[in-house]
Amino acid sequence: MATFDSRSFYTRGDSFSVGASREHVERALLDFGATDVRFSQRGRLSAIAFRACGRQFRIVISLPQPDGISAVLGGAADVHGEVTAKVLELNARRVWHAFALSTEAKLAAVAAGVATLESEFLAHVVLPGNRTVIDELEPVIASAYQSGQHPSISNTATPRAD
């Protein structure tokens, strides 16, 4: 497996284009042995999906909206719109750069035998029905914290013998 020298990749994060960070993520996943690596975007949501180690994964990244600045709508090219577009672009660059670094770190942990791919990306495993583990467990965890009760994670084929 080839590795990427993160010392040259790591700087402030906004100096790398979103495309460069996406390419870095794709290259790292492919070098690891992942297949069917796909990117998609809808509004402020970006997603990457891939297959590896007999599992399908999907990670959704929500690009943050800067405080006090609304999205640029329409075609008016005023100063505020240009500033907003620049801020949005810098935020996107930082988020994608951080995602690239975290993906590389997770894959390095797996390659070193410190973790498994499934444990590093467990929240993003796609389950039958096309929902991810995090989609299924987030409301269960929130409810457990709210109620103070142990969560009930049912739908298991074999009941626990206590």
Side-chain angles (χ1 to χ4, degrees), residues 47-114:
I48 179 170
F50 61 95
R51 293 180 186 275
C53 300
R55 299 280 189 254
Q56 183 178 341
F57 300 85
R58 182 177 58 243
I59 303 167
V60 177
I61 302 168
S62 178
L63 298 176
Q65 193 77 2
D67 292 335
I69 298 178
S70 60
V72 178
L73 299 173
D78 61 349
V79 173
H80 179 70
E82 290 174 18
V83 170
T84 301
K86 181 67 173 170
V87 170
L88 291 173
E89 174 63 22
L90 290 176
N91 280 341
R93 286 176 176 222
R94 284 187 196 106
V95 168
W96 272 99
H97 179 72
F99 178 69
L101 291 174
S102 68
T103 300
E104 182 177 38
K106 289 175 184 212
L107 294 175
V110 174
V114 174

Side-chain angles (χ1 to χ4, degrees), residues 119-162:
S119 70
E120 286 298 309
F121 291 95
L122 182 61
H124 310 291
V125 172
V126 178
L127 301 168
N130 202 31
R131 288 177 46 91
T132 61
V133 170
I134 194 67
D135 293 338
E136 293 291 327
L137 289 182
E138 231 170 10
V140 173
I141 294 168
S143 176
Y145 271 95
Q146 190 173 40
S147 70
Q149 300 295 313
H150 186 277
S152 173
I153 303 174
S154 54
N155 270 349
T156 55
T158 309
R160 285 181 32 194
D162 290 328

Side-chain angles (χ1 to χ4, degrees), residues 4 8-27 39 41 46 61 63 86 88-101:
F4 190 81
S8 64
F9 189 69
Y10 183 80
T11 60
R12 290 184 355 180
D14 60 1
S15 60
F16 293 95
S17 71
V18 169
S21 293
R22 282 177 46 163
E23 287 175 18
H24 180 78
V25 169
E26 182 175 24
R27 185 172 46 252
F39 293 92
Q41 179 141 3
S46 294
I61 302 168
L63 298 176
K86 181 67 173 170
L88 291 173
E89 174 63 22
L90 290 176
N91 280 341
R93 286 176 176 222
R94 284 187 196 106
V95 168
W96 272 99
H97 179 72
F99 178 69
L101 291 174

